[in-house]
Amino acid sequence: MKSSRTPIDYNEQREEFETWFQSPLGRALLADQRRKVEWVTREFTGAHQLLVSVSHRLPIATTTDFSMRMMTTPRWAPNLSDGVVVSDAAELPFPSESMDLVVLHHTHDFAEQPHQVVREATRVLRSSGHLIIIGFNPIGLWGIRKLISRRRHAPWGGRFVSPGRVEDWLNLLDCELGDVCRGFHRPPIRKAHALDRLGFMERLFNRLPLPGGAYYCISAEKRVLARTETRRRWRKQAKQPVAMPVAGSVSALRPHRHSTKDSQQERHS
């Protein structure tokens, strides 16, 4: 029996997700994520940083110590700032091993192929480079809200990929896992004053190793061993035996070429 549910249009979801971040709940979540990423990347340095986001209007990791910071957005918009590249997250237009830091901000939550998004991020990441993945946590109050939600609008229409699944992908992609932290333990309520009153929940749950929280932040380091070229051993070839001519054998003898002078002497004799 086929399911009556229509497939999710992730392009439409990304647009709704961008609009949702302008709400009081979205702004509070984004502010918490910025603080979390700033803390995780406080010691990262390098030349090239790439933020793969669902919208160019959601900047994050803006205080890192990198000489060049770039950002991708899935669709074109007027007045794009410098350093913003229109690109699909599953097909990044950058050379392999060209980035020192790549940040995925809910990109795999709104992608048709989330595994390919993570794979592409590791492709452009150089060896010993760092990857930061931020995604919605399916465990906790926000995960329950997604399950009971009848309307599939963003952010509840996202995939909410579990952190354990993302960790499995990273292990297959030759990445060494680092810190796995969670943030924003307040319930998904819309009113700003209620969110402010529940701010104590952040200080309370940050001290407890609980699997809850609205989102997770996974850091990993790409570990690809350099290829060691094996030196080719040259073996001295054994000398081939020289065939000696045998008496009476025509094939083993080289025919003798007579000079013109010898031929003339033979005719006059």
Side-chain angles (χ1 to χ4, degrees):
M1 180 177 180
K2 294 184 179 180
S3 176
S4 60
R5 300 182 65 182
T6 58
I8 299 176
D9 186 353
Y10 287 104
N11 291 326
E12 181 181 354
Q13 286 286 320
R14 285 191 289 263
E15 295 180 3
E16 294 181 357
F17 188 54
E18 176 185 343
T19 304
W20 176 82
F21 262 115
Q22 307 303 321
S23 66
L25 180 59
R27 289 196 299 267
L29 178 67
L30 185 61
D32 190 89
Q33 291 176 343
R34 286 172 175 168
R35 290 190 294 268
K36 188 74 68 176
V37 172
E38 182 179 356
W39 180 82
V40 173
T41 61
R42 64 192 184 281
E43 296 180 355
F44 293 170
T45 58
H48 299 94
Q49 170 188 311
L50 176 63
L51 168 61
V52 184
S53 180
V54 295
S55 173
H56 66 284
R57 296 185 177 90
L58 303 175
I60 203 169
T62 58
T63 60
T64 55
D65 188 15
F66 286 80
S67 57
M68 180 178 294
R69 290 193 291 263
M70 293 172 286
M71 180 181 183
T72 66
T73 184
R75 64 185 183 279
W76 181 87
N79 301 323
L80 289 176
S81 59
D82 296 337
V84 178
V85 180
V86 179
S87 169
D88 187 354
E91 297 180 0
L92 298 175
F94 303 102
S96 300
E97 300 183 358
S98 59
M99 299 295 167
D100 300 285
L101 172 64
V102 178
V103 180
L104 297 180
H105 184 225
H106 292 291
T107 319
H108 63 300
D109 283 326
F110 298 96
E112 295 181 0
Q113 298 178 337
H115 178 265
Q116 177 59 28
V117 172
V118 179
R119 178 187 297 274
E120 192 68 358
T122 58
R123 179 190 66 82
V124 302
L125 191 66
R126 68 171 179 84
S127 180
S128 300
H130 293 88
L131 175 63
I132 305 295
I133 301 179
I134 299 175
F136 283 118
N137 187 13
I139 302 175
L141 296 177
W142 286 61
I144 296 175
R145 173 67 174 81
K146 172 181 169 58
L147 291 176
I148 65 176
S149 178
R150 296 180 179 179
R151 303 179 64 184
R152 303 176 68 184
H153 295 299
W156 315 118
R159 290 185 176 273
F160 281 51
V161 182
S162 66
R165 189 176 182 184
V166 176
E167 292 174 9
D168 292 339
W169 294 344
L170 294 174
N171 288 326
L172 294 175
L173 294 171
D174 297 326
C175 291
E176 181 180 351
L177 294 175
D179 294 332
V180 180
C181 52
R182 294 165 177 82
F184 205 84
H185 299 274
R186 283 168 280 181
I189 54 181
R190 298 180 181 181
K191 296 182 179 181
H193 67 276
L195 290 171
D196 294 338
R197 290 180 180 178
L198 296 175
F200 71 93
M201 297 181 65
E202 303 298 331
R203 298 184 295 271
L204 176 62
F205 283 95
N206 285 334
R207 301 175 183 176
L208 302 175
L210 297 177
Y215 69 93
Y216 54 82
C217 180
I218 301 176
S219 64
E221 184 176 358
K222 185 176 180 179
R223 290 293 189 184
V224 179
L225 298 178
R227 296 181 179 179
T228 303
E229 297 183 359
T230 305
R231 297 184 61 182
R232 185 176 180 181
R233 296 181 179 180
W234 296 93
R235 293 186 298 179
K236 295 182 179 180
Q237 295 182 355
K239 294 183 178 180
Q240 298 294 334
V242 180
M244 301 298 293
V246 181
S249 175
V250 179
S251 60
L253 296 177
R254 184 176 180 180
H256 178 70
R257 298 181 60 184
H258 298 278
S259 63
T260 305
K261 185 177 180 180
D262 295 339
S263 301
Q264 292 177 355
Q265 289 178 356
E266 290 179 357
R267 286 198 299 266
H268 289 291
S269 58

